[in-house]
């Protein structure tokens, strides 16, 4: 049996890199959600006012980050399941 150590190292490196990236993007999504909730509790709704821009920006950040995480997971499932090809 012959193991291609270079290919194994590449797969390991890419999987660790993608894992770290997904965790960071998910954490940024949680941060955006916390900003949204904090601005909402402080009385800054989505309208004008002091916290209005921060509230909608936090919600948009959370939505985009969670959507990116879901896309990475869906792509991983697509690569694993052969019936989707």
């Amino acid at each position: 049996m012959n193991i291609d150590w270079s290919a194994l190292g590449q797969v390991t490196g890419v999987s660790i890199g993608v894992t770290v990236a997904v965790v960071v993007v998910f954490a940024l999504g949680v941060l955006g959600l916390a900003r949204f909730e904090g601005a909402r509790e402080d009385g800054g709704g989505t309208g004008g006012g002091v916290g209005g821009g921060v509230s909608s920006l936090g919600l948009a950040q959370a939505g985009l980050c969670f959507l990116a995480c879901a896309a990475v997971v869906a792509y991983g499932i697509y690569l694993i399941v052969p019936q989707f090809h």
Side-chain angles (χ1 to χ4, degrees), residues 25-33 60-72:
V25 169
F26 189 83
L28 289 173
V30 171
L31 176 67
L33 202 56
Q61 175 186 347
L64 287 174
C65 288
F66 293 146
L67 185 65
C69 288
V72 170

Side-chain angles (χ1 to χ4, degrees), residues 16-27:
I16 289 173
V18 169
T19 301
V20 169
V22 168
V23 168
V24 168
V25 169
F26 189 83

Side-chain angles (χ1 to χ4, degrees), residues 1-83:
M1 180 164 77
N2 190 11
I3 297 176
D4 187 1
W5 291 103
S6 175
L8 183 62
Q10 287 177 349
V11 169
T12 302
V14 168
S15 61
I16 289 173
V18 169
T19 301
V20 169
V22 168
V23 168
V24 168
V25 169
F26 189 83
L28 289 173
V30 171
L31 176 67
L33 202 56
R35 284 183 181 168
F36 172 72
E37 290 294 323
R40 197 173 69 161
E41 287 177 3
D42 290 342
T46 56
V50 178
V54 175
S55 176
S56 49
L57 183 65
L59 187 60
Q61 175 186 347
L64 287 174
C65 288
F66 293 146
L67 185 65
C69 288
V72 170
V73 169
Y75 183 65
I77 291 173
Y78 168 77
L79 290 176
I80 292 172
V81 179
Q83 286 85 5

